[in-house]
Amino acid sequence: MRDRHPFVVLSPRAFNGRTSLVIGLPMTTAEYNADNPFAVVAGIAKGAKAGKTSYVLCHLPKSFDWRIREASPHPLKRIPDDRFAEVCTVLNQIVQLT
């Protein structure tokens, strides 16, 4: 994934602050994800990708140092609670934490 992408953060703020790490899932507007069983629709993108469907890629958990990468919060701040619950359900099907 090139360039900057939105990212659904899964790790708690206290962890992120103490370690400089963030754990989560990347988001994309790539249309081929419409058939991906591990991609959850997050909504319709705004800004440069306005009107495109935005997907959370549950099969690609990532971690990175947010300070070194100069990450910043997305203007929308969060995805809707029902979408976040669906993301967690799909992720749990993969990693089986609960």
Side-chain angles (χ1 to χ4, degrees), residues 30-73:
E31 294 176 9
Y32 58 80
N33 284 296
D35 294 331
N36 181 344
F38 303 113
V40 173
V41 173
I44 302 301
K46 295 185 168 105
K49 307 271 183 162
K52 290 188 170 190
T53 302
S54 183
Y55 302 94
V56 179
L57 303 178
C58 299
H59 63 298
L60 295 176
K62 307 273 183 211
S63 67
F64 63 89
D65 186 317
W66 62 270
R67 289 183 178 126
I68 289 175
R69 291 205 183 183
E70 299 177 352
S72 60

Side-chain angles (χ1 to χ4, degrees), residues 10-53:
L10 302 172
S11 51
R13 187 178 304 248
F15 172 84
N16 301 342
R18 284 189 190 109
T19 65
S20 280
L21 295 175
V22 65
I23 300 169
L25 303 167
M27 296 174 70
T28 184
T29 55
E31 294 176 9
Y32 58 80
N33 284 296
D35 294 331
N36 181 344
F38 303 113
V40 173
V41 173
I44 302 301
K46 295 185 168 105
K49 307 271 183 162
K52 290 188 170 190
T53 302

Side-chain angles (χ1 to χ4, degrees), residues 10 25 58-59 61 86-96:
L10 302 172
L25 303 167
C58 299
H59 63 298
E86 185 178 354
V87 164
C88 292
T89 298
V90 173
L91 178 61
N92 191 53
Q93 291 171 358
I94 298 167
V95 295
Q96 298 182 350

